[in-house]
Amino acid sequence: AALVLLFGMLAFFWLPKRGSDDTLAIYKNQMVGIALRGYGMDLTTNDPAQIRSHLAQNQAPADYALPAALQKVAVAGCAVESWQNAKVSMLCFRTGKPLPPGEQSDLWLFVVDRTALADPSIGEVPQFSKVNRLATATWAKGDKIYLLGTEGDEQTIRKYL
């Protein structure tokens, strides 16, 4: 019994620790995965007020602030996703590019409460990265974290900020 206890203590201190599941990198990978693998919108509409109302009724972030350039992009609908027991608002937009058959949008904005992520380094200045085949921008404003993604590169995503 003492040997089992000793090995258990050694394993605890020497085996690699599993990282936190609520990091920005994992969040981005999961949200981009949702956008790319084909999702169903909970509400299909081009009315931003209906989208905010639907999100609020489903306890998802509805008090988000869209960048000026994104306000000019046609909205297609929304969905409520989840992340670490927090609700995530997924807003779907159409950039005007031809869409593949069966697709309803090609630009996605995910909004989650800041408390859902353990990464305090997220600031108001957008951070750009490539996740799978999407160019992404991530930033925080107030108590929300924003993740914007579309196919392309950093220049492509900057047009919507």
Side-chain angles (χ1 to χ4, degrees), residues 86-157:
K87 300 276 181 121
V88 178
S89 296
M90 176 184 183
L91 287 82
C92 306
F93 297 88
R94 290 188 188 111
T95 64
K97 294 183 245 175
L99 297 174
E103 298 293 320
Q104 297 181 355
S105 62
D106 59 349
L107 177 66
W108 303 273
L109 178 67
F110 297 91
V111 183
V112 69
D113 288 331
R114 185 184 278 274
T115 56
L117 289 164
D119 192 341
S121 68
I122 304 166
E124 289 194 21
V125 176
Q127 300 172 8
F128 299 94
S129 63
K130 190 82 165 183
V131 180
N132 200 319
R133 66 178 192 262
L134 294 190
T136 68
T138 310
W139 70 96
K141 186 165 186 167
D143 65 343
K144 303 287 183 272
I145 294 177
Y146 298 84
L147 169 62
L148 184 65
T150 192
E151 288 197 38
D153 56 17
E154 185 177 324
Q155 286 181 324
T156 305
I157 199 84

Side-chain angles (χ1 to χ4, degrees), residues 4 11 14 18 20 22 24 28 33 35 45-46 49-50 53 55 63 65 68 72 81-83 85 114 128 158 161:
V4 171
W14 280 329
R18 187 174 152 212
S20 176
D22 55 358
L24 179 61
K28 288 195 298 188
T45 182
N46 60 359
Q50 284 184 4
S53 176
L55 294 171
D63 57 342
K72 298 174 185 172
E81 301 295 338
S82 63
W83 162 257
N85 298 319
R114 185 184 278 274
F128 299 94
R158 279 185 182 274
L161 296 177

